[in-house]
């Protein structure tokens, strides 16, 4: 049995950095139960040279095991513990693009990138799909300026999104087009109106990268997602609900609490999800009750999974938690 030590990625957000080891443990536990098939043990927080690490035990990790673990959202470096020395393990991340795709955009209300990756990872693993081999379509119905969509692209997956905020939609379309041009990546990107009975229903950003990866984002109320997206289009729903701080939930006016929006919109999003797919949602526990959201997911026919250890403080107005469910 070998012992391994995971060095947590530095985070620009101080509060997130403080909770990162605990979140890394919870995420590592999900990787251990799923992709690593129960072969990780003794997961704990440790310190080497005054620096916090997360450590675990395993029979010698295969290259494939390391390839899974390389994608942990908090992974900065991995070492094998040999006596009181640390031997580096070569990481092999899934990342297909430069990381400025995820980090360059800065705006109020952006979901922390590391946390977005965590939510995508645990939702993907909950679906039983292979993080490394499968290429799911990831749907974020409240995509903002695309943190989830960008992380999906980063993994080589396809991305699908909605947001009703016109400024967010335009800023994201402009960002992605500029970024693709600047990186000299072969692509097609267009924004077109979607009309129904001569009325404007939505605007649609459609991007194809290197002829093989696709991103579609609609500027539309997520309540109407089914009017523009067919049933069984997405393998995963991954979304960060409005916290009632920078963003409110738009549902018959603006509300600090997202529950009414979720009650009405989730059944449509679940129709968009393929059978066997998984649904991961983050929310502010000060404005949304976990049991209420779990009930909404169950009422829509999903099975809510037990995923302990992800509650964490973001600031004095936000304590964030997640729910993950399967169809
Ligand atoms: C927490 S933010 C998501 C931020 C996003 N993950 C990002 O990093 O850019 C919640 C988003 O929900 C959107 N939203 C609120 N009500 C909505 C509705 N009815 N339909 C679609 N989007 C909605 C807001 O415009 C906001 O962008």
């Amino acid at each position: 049995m070998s012992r391994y030590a995971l060095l947590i990625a530095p985070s620009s957000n101080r509060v997130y950095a403080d909770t990162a080891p605990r979140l890394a443990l919870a995420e590592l536990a999900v990787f251990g139960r799923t992709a690593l098939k129960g072969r990780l043990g003794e997961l704990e927080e440790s310190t080497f040279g005054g620096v916090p690490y997360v450590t675990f035990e395993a029979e010698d990790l295969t290259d494939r095991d390391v390839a899974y673990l390389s994608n942990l959202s908090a992974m900065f470096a991995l070492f094998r513990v040999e006596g009181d020395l640390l031997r580096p393990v070569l990481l092999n991340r899934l990342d297909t693009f430069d990381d400025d795709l995820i980090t360059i955009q800065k705006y109020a209300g952006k979901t922390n990138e590391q946390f977005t990756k965590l939510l995508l990872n645990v939702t993907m693993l909950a679906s039983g799909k292979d993080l490394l081999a499968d290429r799911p379509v990831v749907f974020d119905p409240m995509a903002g300026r695309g943190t989830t969509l960008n992380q999906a692209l980063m993994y080589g997956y396809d991305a699908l999104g909605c947001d009703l905020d016109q400024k967010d939609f335009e800023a994201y379309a402009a960002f992605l087009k500029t970024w693709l041009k600047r990186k000299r990546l072969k692509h097609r990107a267009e924004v077109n109106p979607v009309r129904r009975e001569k009325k404007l229903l939505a605007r649609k950003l459609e991007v194809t990268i290197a002829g093989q990866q696709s991103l579609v984002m609609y500027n539309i109320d997520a309540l109407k997602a089914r009017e523009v997206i067919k049933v069984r289009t997405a393998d995963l729903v991954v979304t960060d609900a409005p916290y009632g701080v920078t963003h409110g939930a738009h549902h018959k006016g603006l509300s600090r609490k997202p529950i009414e929006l979720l009650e009405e919109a989730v059944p449509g999003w679940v129709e968009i999800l393929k059978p066997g797919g998984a649904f991961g949602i983050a929310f502010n526990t000060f404005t949304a009750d976990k049991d209420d959201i779990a009930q909404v997911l169950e009422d829509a026919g999903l099975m809510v999974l037990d995923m302990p250890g992800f509650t964490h403080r973001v600031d004095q107005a936000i304590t964030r938690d997640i729910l993950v469910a399967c169809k």
Side-chain angles (χ1 to χ4, degrees):
M1 200 59 96
S2 301
R3 187 164 176 236
Y4 292 87
L6 183 169
L7 181 60
I8 307 284
S11 173
S12 51
N13 179 329
R14 183 70 245 155
V15 181
Y16 193 83
D18 284 347
T19 46
R22 207 169 37 75
L23 288 176
L25 269 181
E27 187 185 4
L28 184 62
V30 176
F31 273 71
R33 284 200 300 273
T34 54
L36 279 288
K37 303 197 166 51
R39 288 183 292 111
L40 305 185
E42 304 290 324
L43 278 59
E44 58 193 9
E45 289 184 43
S46 309
T47 315
F48 294 94
V51 177
Y53 285 75
V54 162
T55 54
F56 60 92
E57 286 190 354
E59 290 296 338
D60 283 348
L61 295 176
T62 64
D63 289 350
R64 187 118 183 121
D65 295 336
V66 173
Y68 285 116
L69 296 174
S70 299
N71 296 296
L72 278 159
S73 65
M75 176 66 79
F76 191 50
L78 183 65
F79 301 92
R80 197 155 80 176
V81 182
E82 298 183 357
D84 54 2
L85 298 179
L86 300 179
R87 179 185 293 279
V89 175
L90 184 65
L91 296 180
N92 177 12
R93 292 197 167 89
L94 204 47
D95 299 5
T96 48
F97 300 112
D98 294 342
D99 67 1
D100 60 353
L101 170 63
I102 314 256
T103 56
I104 210 169
Q105 288 191 105
K106 303 266 184 267
Y107 50 91
K110 179 177 182 179
T111 310
N112 178 293
E113 295 103 65
Q114 214 168 301
F115 173 76
T116 300
K117 185 170 177 178
L118 179 153
L119 186 60
L120 174 59
N121 281 345
V122 297
T123 309
M124 178 70 177
L125 293 170
S127 76
K129 289 196 177 44
D130 189 323
L131 190 81
L132 304 177
D134 289 321
R135 272 199 48 197
V137 176
V138 179
F139 173 43
D140 184 349
M142 299 179 286
R145 298 190 192 185
T147 313
T148 313
L149 309 184
N150 289 341
Q151 183 56 55
L153 291 181
M154 191 69 167
Y155 271 174
Y157 301 167
D158 290 333
L160 176 64
C162 296
D163 204 286
L164 92 175
D165 189 294
Q166 191 180 334
K167 278 202 196 114
D168 280 351
F169 175 83
E170 283 167 4
Y172 182 57
F175 160 74
L176 196 56
K177 284 181 184 174
T178 310
W179 188 87
L180 289 164
K181 259 189 224 145
R182 209 161 43 76
K183 297 285 166 179
R184 298 180 189 279
L185 290 164
K186 201 166 166 233
H187 69 279
R188 278 187 34 218
E190 296 178 352
V191 174
N192 289 308
V194 181
R195 296 186 204 282
R196 182 97 12 108
E197 288 157 8
K198 295 189 182 161
K199 282 205 184 118
L200 183 71
L201 185 60
R203 285 187 309 148
K204 180 182 188 185
L205 165 67
E206 214 167 349
V207 177
T208 317
I209 307 171
Q212 49 185 346
Q213 228 183 325
S214 107
L215 174 138
V216 175
M217 165 132 179
Y218 293 95
N219 184 199
I220 192 170
D221 190 325
L223 282 171
K224 298 185 187 164
R226 274 285 293 109
E227 295 186 32
V228 285
I229 305 171
K230 291 197 179 80
V231 295
R232 299 179 185 183
T233 305
D235 299 280
L236 309 176
V237 173
V238 177
T239 198
D240 187 20
Y243 296 163
V245 182
T246 309
H247 293 112
H250 292 268
H251 179 259
K252 300 176 186 151
L254 196 57
S255 166
R256 284 190 69 226
K257 300 187 176 181
I259 192 69
E260 285 167 356
L261 168 64
L262 294 176
E263 277 168 357
E264 201 173 328
V266 165
W269 304 345
V270 171
E271 283 177 17
I272 290 168
L273 193 58
K274 291 180 194 164
F279 189 122
I281 182 165
F283 51 91
N284 179 7
T285 59
F286 291 142
T287 56
D289 183 79
K290 190 170 188 173
D291 292 340
D292 290 349
I293 301 184
Q295 192 62 53
V296 167
L297 300 181
E298 279 178 2
D299 290 348
L302 300 178
M303 190 179 74
V304 175
L305 305 178
D306 187 23
M307 289 260 179
F310 289 104
T311 317
H312 62 285
R313 182 178 183 273
V314 176
D315 59 34
Q316 88 272 15
I318 303 167
T319 288
R320 190 161 47 194
D321 204 354
I322 67 168
L323 275 167
V324 179
C326 286
K327 183 167 176 181

